[in-house]
Amino acid sequence: MSILQDFFNGELLPWEQFGTPGDPVYKSFVRKSAELEETILPSLNEKELKVYEEIKHLRTVQNNAELERMFLYAFRIGALFILDLYGE
């Protein structure tokens, strides 16, 4: 099956290789983040906790927007390479 068929059939997801849980580097970042959160969260009062949750939410939205932008840019660049290759 071709990559285009895989993509059409939903068998290819652009983010499936990003930050895979089995990757030891990814795991170390997740573990370290969780440890830091466990260290600081108990010391926050209710207002500080709400601010922290809002920051966390905004960073998630920001990261998702950046990932989408990067994916679209890379996809367009790949398409331009193909057009250039077949244009010669």
Side-chain angles (χ1 to χ4, degrees), residues 20-80:
T20 55
D23 178 12
V25 173
Y26 177 81
K27 284 174 129 176
S28 70
F29 284 124
V30 170
R31 184 176 52 252
K32 184 65 176 174
S33 294
E35 289 171 3
L36 291 171
E37 283 183 332
E38 288 174 14
T39 301
I40 197 168
L41 288 178
S43 65
L44 299 180
N45 64 37
E46 191 173 321
K47 183 179 177 184
E48 292 167 333
L49 189 57
K50 285 182 182 182
V51 170
Y52 167 78
E53 291 296 332
E54 181 67 14
I55 290 170
K56 193 172 174 181
H57 171 73
L58 291 172
R59 287 208 175 126
T60 298
V61 171
Q62 175 189 353
N63 289 340
N64 288 342
E66 290 172 1
L67 287 172
E68 181 181 358
R69 184 187 54 80
M70 287 187 292
F71 170 77
L72 293 173
Y73 177 78
F75 197 87
R76 287 182 182 120
I77 292 296
L80 289 174

